[in-house]
C-alpha cells in the first residue's frame, strides 16, 4: 500500500505533466482561439478519437467499464479557494487551487457484462 507521501508525489508528477500540456494552450486562450485551457485539451484529445470524456463514476453509471490498463486523461477541475498566511506580513491571502480531474474516453470503455 502506498504511503500518503508516495501518493502525493505521484499527483505532483501528474500535475506537472498537465501543466506542460496546458502551457501552449494558455497562449491560444490569450489569443482567443479557446475560451479555456480545458477546451483546448479536449480538442487535442478529440484529435486522437477521445470524443466523449467522463469520470470513472459517470461511465459506471452508464453501464460501462474502463478497460484494464487504460490510463486516465487529465483536465483541470473547478478552482477551489483556500487561504494562505503570508509569513512576512501576517496577512491572509486568498488563492485559487485547480485540482486535476481524471477522465476516460469512449475509446477506453466497454459494455459491462451481466453477472
Amino acid at each position: 500500500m502506498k504511503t500518503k507521501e508516495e501518493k502525493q508525489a505521484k499527483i505532483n508528477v501528474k500535475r506537472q505533466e498537465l501543466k506542460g500540456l496546458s502551457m501552449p494552450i494558455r497562449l491560444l486562450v490569450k489569443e482567443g482561439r479557446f475560451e479555456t485551457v480545458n477546451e483546448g485539451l479536449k480538442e487535442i484529445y478529440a484529435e486522437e478519437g477521445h470524443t466523449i470524456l467522463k469520470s470513472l463514476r459517470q461511465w459506471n453509471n452508464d453501464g460501462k467499464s474502463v478497460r484494464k490498463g487504460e490510463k486516465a486523461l487529465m483536465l483541470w477541475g473547478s478552482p477551489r479557494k483556500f487561504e494562505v498566511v503570508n509569513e512576512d506580513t501576517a496577512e491572509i491571502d486568498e488563492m485559487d487551487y485547480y485540482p486535476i480531474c481524471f477522465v476516460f474516453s469512449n475509446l477506453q470503455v466497454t459494455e459491462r457484462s451481466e453477472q
Side-chain angles (χ1 to χ4, degrees):
M1 189 143 125
K2 292 184 181 182
T3 66
K4 185 177 180 179
E5 292 81 20
E6 289 172 324
K7 289 178 183 178
Q8 188 60 48
K10 188 174 182 179
I11 289 292
N12 289 341
V13 168
K14 293 293 186 184
R15 179 172 293 284
Q16 291 305 315
E17 183 181 329
L18 186 53
K19 283 182 179 180
L21 286 171
S22 301
M23 192 70 66
I25 298 170
R26 289 177 67 199
L27 298 173
L28 296 173
V29 169
K30 285 182 181 181
E31 292 174 0
R33 170 122 190 257
F34 299 114
E35 284 191 39
T36 66
V37 171
N38 275 351
E39 185 181 309
L41 289 168
K42 288 176 184 179
E43 185 170 304
I44 290 170
Y45 295 147
E47 288 172 2
E48 298 170 357
H50 303 285
T51 55
I52 303 171
L53 303 175
K54 297 182 183 183
S55 69
L56 178 62
R57 177 176 286 152
Q58 290 171 320
W59 283 118
N60 288 338
N61 288 342
D62 288 349
K64 308 276 186 185
S65 294
V66 174
R67 285 199 251 354
K68 186 174 181 162
E70 292 290 348
K71 302 292 183 200
L73 304 171
M74 296 180 291
L75 297 172
W76 292 107
S78 298
R80 298 190 176 132
K81 302 257 183 223
F82 69 98
E83 294 178 348
V84 177
V85 178
N86 184 327
E87 293 179 10
D88 296 332
T89 63
E91 292 180 5
I92 297 175
D93 296 324
E94 192 172 273
M95 299 184 74
D96 287 336
Y97 171 77
Y98 290 83
I100 299 173
C101 181
F102 295 98
V103 295
F104 295 92
S105 82
N106 51 300
L107 299 179
Q108 299 173 298
V109 296
T110 60
E111 289 290 332
R112 190 174 308 142
S113 59
E114 296 291 324
Q115 297 186 12

